């Protein structure tokens, strides 16, 4: 994990492999951003012109390297694009800073230390820069020889010093501590998502959660296949029936003695999704190790809440199973009796996430939390609707849905409010069972949300986050987002816990 520190020292005197400065896109060419004044002065005020000569424009994420000026202990200056110059003398947005820091950190893979002389006006800016740097420096190298990326042979940037951050100021220290806790847990979620399914399966995922619970004072309860059978968790058992790796339901409980509110997070944890008997075709199953991204997000959010000492009780439910075809697998046409007592006719075994979530949602409802939020890579339909970078938000309360979308925007996650049209419910009517796990094809993401709504306890505020698009990045890295597992929804869940603790949500 990249170490994060603050400093008010002069840029020229700091020993580092590189100094990072910001450059914005102005009407007449690149403009050096605040924070880099001392560096620009060392170039006799000509840094913007030099960068323009080198082809830099200040566009978002653009990275340009040049020799450091005489007298600097760092040998290289790295100019990172922040995008357009803010209008009306406004400051750069938090997300622009976060993305720039991430792009710079990734470009400095192999370096031991970098000094970031990027715009910092307050502790909040320091926090988002720290987040961007730590998330941008991330690399999954557990299966690489000597822990290095095989393509470039470079380890992630080891240390970042934020210039202009006040190391003794309480607000700055708190911002850095928050960024460290959240990014470490988000990167752990990325590690879980990227781990091959032969090493990450329900039992091993549960073991990771148990170890984290012991480390951070979180109570962890694991229901194995015998306990699930005894308890009547037909959805989780039905999905896991075809696999040699038995399912698990993991409960993580973080409690604060000062809490007056209780949030429940529920995560879909299909550690590998072949589609089951409704087998996915070639080209659609190669990345299905990521189908536990919702559970990874929930796990990371609960641990983050514990590390931050938030004054809210947070319970995480990880519904873990592997969806495989075999002689013992659930068949299309089978009927499962869920934990709630309802029966579900399984028309498609590749619509399995809603089955494990249904059991976990009903179990979570028994504790009567103030709100339940489930997170899942649930439907391809949501990807078709919103693309690869935006998750959909559905809820049984419009104000709660709006609050989630606003919280996501605040932390830099793209989301969009989606409806739950009641007329789509009829498509899930079954002649055999209480409900079918499939409905109308058009609006499939909304149909899945309506199915989940059936398993939320009466009177409980609930929301569903379909992160199928942004959970796993199959294209190239951008900003602070790597290729592979992204940790989507972690920061939104943590922010919702913070807002609940402060009394600003619900």
């Amino acid at each position: 994990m990249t170490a994060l520190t603050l400093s008010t020292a002069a840029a020229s005197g700091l020993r580092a492999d590189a100094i990072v400065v910001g450059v914005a896109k102005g009407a007449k060419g690149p403009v050096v951003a605040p924070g880099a004044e001392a560096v620009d002065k060392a170039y006799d005020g000509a840094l913007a012109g030099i960068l323009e000569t080198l082809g830099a424009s200040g566009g978002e994420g653009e990275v340009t390297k040049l020799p450091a000026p005489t007298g600097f202990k760092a040998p290289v200056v790295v100019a990172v694009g922040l995008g357009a110059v803010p209008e009306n003398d406004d400051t750069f947005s938090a997300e622009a800073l976060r993305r720039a820091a991430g792009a710079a950190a990734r470009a400095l893979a192999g370096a031991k230390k970098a000094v970031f002389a990027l715009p910092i006006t307050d502790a909040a800016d320091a926090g988002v820069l720290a987040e961007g740097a730590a998330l941008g420096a991330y690399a999954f190298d557990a299966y690489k020889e000597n822990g290095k990326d095989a393509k470039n042979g470079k380890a992630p940037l080891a240390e970042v010093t934020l210039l202009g951050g006040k190391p003794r100021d309480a607000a700055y220290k708190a911002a850095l501590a928050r960024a460290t806790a959240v990014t470490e847990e988000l990167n752990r979620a990325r590690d879980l998502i990227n781990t091959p399914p032969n090493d990450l399966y329900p039992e091993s995922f549960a073991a990771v959660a148990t170890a984290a619970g012991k480390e951070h004072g979180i109570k962890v309860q694991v229901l194995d296949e015998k306990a699930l059978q005894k308890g009547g968790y037909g959805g989780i058992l039905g999905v896991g029936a075809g696999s040699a790796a038995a399912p698990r339901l993991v409960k993580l409980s973080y409690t604060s003695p000062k809490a007056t509110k209780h949030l429940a997070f529920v995560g879909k944890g299909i550690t590998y999704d072949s589609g089951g008997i409704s087998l996915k075709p070639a080209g659609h199953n190669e990345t299905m190790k990521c189908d536990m991204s919702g559970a990874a997000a929930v796990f990371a959010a609960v641990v983050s809440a514990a590390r931050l000492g938030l004054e809210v009780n947070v319970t995480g439910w990880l519904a873990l199973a592997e969806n495989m075809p075999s002689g013992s697998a659930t068949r299309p046409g089978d009927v499962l009796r869920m934990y709630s007592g309802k029966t579900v006719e399984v028309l498609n075994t590749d619509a399995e996430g809603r089955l494990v979530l249904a059991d976990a949602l009903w179990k979570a409802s028994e504790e009567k939390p103030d709100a339940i939020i489930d997170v899942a890579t649930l439907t391809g339909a949501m990807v078709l609707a919103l693309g690869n970078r935006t998750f959909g938000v559905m809820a049984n309360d419009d104000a709660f849905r709006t609050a989630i979308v606003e919280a996501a925007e605040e932390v830099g996650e793209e989301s969009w409010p989606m409806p739950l049209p009641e007329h789509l419910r009829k498509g899930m009517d079954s002649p055999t069972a209480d409900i079918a796990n499939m409905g109308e094809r058009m609006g499939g993401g909304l149909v899945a949300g309506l199915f989940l709504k059936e398993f939320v306890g009466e009177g409980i505020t609930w929301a569903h986050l379909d992160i199928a698009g942004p959970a796993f990045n199959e294209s190239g890295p951008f900003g602070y987002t790597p290729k592979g597992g992204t940790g989507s929804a972690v920061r939104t869940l943590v922010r919702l816990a913070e807002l609940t603790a402060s009394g600003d949500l619900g």
Side-chain angles (χ1 to χ4, degrees):
M1 184 67 186
T2 302
L4 302 168
T5 58
L6 303 168
S7 177
T8 55
S12 59
L14 290 172
R15 294 187 181 278
D17 296 296
I19 294 178
V20 176
V21 299
V23 57
K25 192 171 186 177
K28 297 181 179 180
V31 177
V32 177
E37 292 85 356
V39 179
D40 188 28
K41 184 178 180 180
Y43 285 106
D44 296 325
L47 179 56
I50 295 171
L51 290 170
E52 186 171 24
T53 300
L54 293 173
S57 68
E60 182 182 312
E62 181 183 78
V63 174
T64 306
K65 297 182 180 180
L66 64 160
T70 302
F72 275 63
K73 292 184 177 179
V76 175
V77 168
V78 176
V80 61
L82 287 156
V85 173
E87 296 180 357
N88 303 320
D89 295 323
D90 200 1
T91 57
F92 290 95
S93 70
E95 186 63 3
L97 295 177
R98 198 182 280 116
R99 290 180 179 178
R106 185 173 59 256
L108 286 166
K112 292 183 178 180
K113 182 179 179 179
V115 174
F116 280 35
L118 293 169
I120 293 182
T121 58
D122 54 23
D125 285 346
V128 297
L129 287 173
E131 279 185 22
L135 296 177
Y138 172 84
F140 184 67
D141 51 22
Y143 293 80
K144 302 287 188 180
E145 186 177 4
N146 300 321
K148 294 181 179 180
D149 188 311
K151 185 176 180 180
N152 58 31
K154 298 177 180 178
L157 174 61
E159 182 182 351
V160 169
T161 295
L162 300 177
L163 205 60
K166 302 172 184 177
R168 296 182 181 179
D169 183 279
Y172 279 83
K173 289 197 292 185
L176 194 68
R178 181 192 183 280
T180 298
V182 174
T183 57
E184 284 183 355
E185 296 311 321
L186 193 154
N187 282 337
R188 172 152 53 177
R190 290 172 168 178
D191 283 347
L192 288 168
I193 297 164
N194 289 325
T195 298
N198 57 317
D199 282 342
L200 189 76
Y201 41 90
E203 185 179 4
S204 61
F205 195 152
V208 171
T210 300
K214 291 179 180 178
E215 182 181 358
H216 298 292
I218 301 168
K219 183 179 179 181
V220 180
Q221 179 185 8
V222 179
L223 299 184
D224 62 13
E225 64 271 36
K226 292 182 180 178
L228 292 170
Q229 189 71 47
K230 184 177 180 180
Y233 295 85
I236 297 175
L237 287 167
V239 173
S243 175
R248 296 287 187 271
L249 178 61
V250 180
K251 177 185 178 183
L252 300 102
S253 303
Y254 162 67
T255 56
S256 167
K258 297 181 180 180
T260 59
K261 296 284 187 178
H262 176 199
L263 288 179
F265 298 153
V266 177
K268 172 188 172 183
I270 305 300
T271 56
Y272 180 75
D273 181 19
S274 69
I277 297 297
S278 305
L279 193 67
K280 292 179 185 292
H284 291 78
N285 57 17
E286 291 81 358
T287 61
M288 281 298 101
K289 64 181 181 180
C290 78
D291 214 20
M292 37 58 67
S293 295
V298 166
F299 168 56
V302 176
V303 178
S304 294
R307 291 183 61 174
L308 296 173
L310 300 183
E311 295 179 2
V312 58
N313 293 336
V314 183
T315 305
W317 299 88
L318 315 182
L320 308 176
E322 186 177 67
N323 187 24
M324 295 290 285
S326 74
S328 60
T330 294
R331 298 157 289 246
D334 282 356
V335 173
L336 303 176
R337 186 170 296 278
M338 312 298 280
Y339 178 71
S340 68
K342 283 186 178 181
T343 54
V344 176
E345 182 180 11
V346 179
L347 298 180
N348 187 329
T349 64
D350 196 22
E352 83 300 328
R354 64 199 71 182
L355 298 176
V356 300
L357 285 173
D359 277 353
L361 283 168
W362 194 259
K363 183 64 177 177
S365 296
E366 290 181 342
E367 297 188 345
K368 305 293 182 183
D370 293 285
I372 299 175
I373 303 168
D374 77 70
V375 187
T377 47
L378 205 62
T379 65
M382 196 59 62
V383 186
L384 289 173
L386 299 178
N388 291 319
R389 296 191 184 184
T390 305
F391 62 77
V393 183
M394 287 154 266
N396 60 5
D397 181 287
D398 288 349
F400 190 55
R401 182 184 63 186
T402 298
I404 292 173
V405 171
E406 289 175 349
E409 182 179 11
E410 185 180 349
V411 297
E413 295 203 272
E414 296 180 39
S415 69
W416 196 257
M418 300 294 283
L420 289 172
E422 285 299 329
H423 70 270
L424 290 175
R425 168 61 182 83
K426 184 173 178 58
M428 290 184 283
D429 286 349
S430 166
T432 307
D434 295 320
I435 190 172
N437 77 328
M438 293 291 289
E440 293 184 29
R441 182 167 176 263
M442 300 302 172
L446 313 182
V447 170
L450 286 166
F451 179 91
L452 296 178
K453 184 181 176 184
E454 296 274 327
F455 297 90
V456 177
E458 186 176 353
I460 297 175
T461 301
W462 158 81
H464 162 56
L465 278 54
D466 190 338
I467 62 170
F472 197 84
N473 176 26
E474 295 187 62
S475 61
F478 58 93
Y480 52 85
T481 302
K483 186 171 183 176
T486 65
S488 177
V490 172
R491 290 177 294 140
T492 298
L493 294 180
V494 173
R495 186 62 187 140
L496 290 169
E498 289 174 327
L499 290 169
T500 302
S502 64
D504 294 321
L505 181 71

